[in-house]
Amino acid sequence: MILTVHAAKGTLLGILLPPGVAQIVGFFSHFFADAMPHWELDRAIKNRRWLKIAAGVDLGAAFLAYAVIMSHLGLVVWSLHIFSTAAIACLPDLIEFIKKAAQKPTRFTSSRPTRLVVYCHELAHSFWQKKKDEIQQIGFQWQAVVVFLVVFIL
């Protein structure tokens, strides 16, 4: 799932929930969102160079979505509580990206917490990947609907 979706729902959770609870719910919401059919950058773009560019654009769009939602609501854009919830909602993707990018196992990539997050991330994806070719075609539209619903709720 693109980071924009995770950042938007993390922002929503940060606005609606108290500190501490929001960050925990934001982290676990990533796995629930990834259990829904969606489009993935690394499965759609095979060229590593273009994948890195697309990942950078995705990260920029996630920050932009956060800033737009916050400014639209008249909230302080750099509220630590809300920003950290949005960032933590994206964390499993970042951890998996670091693990895939590492050429050799490192202390971080081979640690139990990292392996647990990667395992849970892959498990969440396994709910829909059996029919991934059919689902990839509707996945991007599904993510757009989720972002629209988050903005509509706010």
Side-chain angles (χ1 to χ4, degrees):
M1 187 167 286
I2 58 175
L3 292 177
T4 309
V5 175
H6 294 299
K9 72 177 171 43
T11 303
L12 175 66
L13 292 170
I15 291 168
L16 298 176
L17 299 174
V21 174
Q23 285 80 5
I24 293 168
V25 172
F27 180 77
F28 287 104
S29 74
H30 186 105
F31 302 111
F32 288 107
D34 274 356
M36 293 185 286
H38 62 276
W39 183 79
E40 288 280 345
L41 281 176
D42 62 341
R43 289 177 181 84
I45 302 172
K46 301 300 178 195
N47 182 310
R48 270 184 90 71
R49 181 173 177 228
W50 284 109
L51 181 60
K52 288 179 183 178
I53 292 169
V57 170
D58 183 24
L59 185 60
F63 281 115
L64 182 63
Y66 167 80
V68 167
I69 291 169
M70 294 295 285
S71 63
H72 176 72
L73 295 174
L75 299 171
V76 176
V77 173
W78 296 115
S79 164
L80 181 61
H81 160 62
I82 299 171
F83 179 76
S84 66
T85 307
I88 288 170
C90 298
L91 194 58
D93 279 341
L94 178 61
I95 289 172
E96 188 159 337
F97 179 78
I98 291 169
K99 186 168 180 6
K100 285 180 180 178
Q103 298 296 324
K104 298 178 183 177
T106 65
R107 180 178 281 175
F108 174 76
T109 61
S110 59
S111 70
R112 282 190 178 136
T114 300
R115 289 192 324 238
L116 179 62
V117 168
V118 170
Y119 172 77
C120 292
H121 201 234
E122 290 170 356
L123 184 64
H125 283 119
S126 71
F127 285 110
W128 61 269
Q129 283 189 338
K130 292 174 184 138
K131 296 183 178 183
K132 67 181 177 185
D133 293 332
E134 301 163 20
I135 291 173
Q136 286 279 6
Q137 296 172 2
I138 63 161
F140 190 76
Q141 294 87 341
W142 174 243
Q143 292 176 97
V145 168
V146 170
V147 170
F148 175 75
L149 288 174
V150 167
V151 172
F152 181 75
I153 290 169
L154 293 174

